[in-house]
Amino acid sequence: QLQLVQSGGGLVQPGGSLRLSCAASGFTLGDYAIGWFRQAPGKERERVSCIGSSESGTNYADSVQGRFTISRDSVKNTVYLQMNSLKPEDTAIYYCAAFRYGYSCPLLMDFWGKGTLVTVSS
């Protein structure tokens, strides 16, 4: 069974940092593109960041460029999203997802994690 297990969400003050984890089970993470998405109440799902397969690169939404970093640990078969300089508008449920074509992270991915809540508030 292919699974993505997420962890690392929580409450953080504005300007703080948080790291989200997405651990893959049942497949080799490096063969897929892995994306981080978020959705806040009343808002559409937004693609935050994407890391391609082992032969591909990374990209970020303009809203998080320079603040968030996506990375992959092949040994742990895990993708991370390091979030720095967090703002209240970053508050959302964050999902990781995998796509079979390792060079892309479309909104319609192949399978998804369960999501984790990130709340940025003083």
Side-chain angles (χ1 to χ4, degrees):
Q1 177 68 216
L2 304 181
Q3 294 185 77
L4 294 171
V5 179
Q6 299 183 222
S7 63
L11 174 66
V12 65
Q13 293 186 340
S17 298
L18 208 60
R19 188 175 76 163
L20 306 182
S21 298
C22 180
S25 178
F27 68 98
T28 300
L29 184 151
D31 295 335
Y32 290 73
I34 305 296
W36 286 98
F37 301 78
R38 67 186 182 188
Q39 189 163 23
K43 303 273 288 184
E44 292 186 347
R45 183 184 299 165
E46 175 189 15
R47 181 173 55 244
V48 174
S49 184
C50 177
I51 186 166
S53 66
S54 298
E55 294 75 29
S56 302
T58 61
N59 58 62
Y60 301 90
D62 290 342
S63 58
V64 306
Q65 182 72 239
R67 300 188 296 120
F68 291 9
T69 303
I70 190 170
S71 62
R72 173 174 49 224
D73 186 328
S74 297
V75 174
K76 296 181 178 180
N77 209 28
T78 299
V79 166
Y80 303 95
L81 184 67
Q82 178 66 47
M83 304 183 293
N84 298 326
S85 302
L86 283 161
K87 305 174 181 179
E89 50 263 45
D90 294 319
T91 296
I93 298 175
Y94 284 71
Y95 302 87
C96 63
F99 189 54
R100 70 190 76 179
Y101 302 122
Y103 48 82
S104 179
C105 290
L107 291 178
L108 185 59
M109 304 284 278
D110 287 317
F111 56 97
W112 297 77
K114 293 297 183 71
T116 186
L117 177 63
V118 172
T119 302
V120 184
S121 179
S122 59

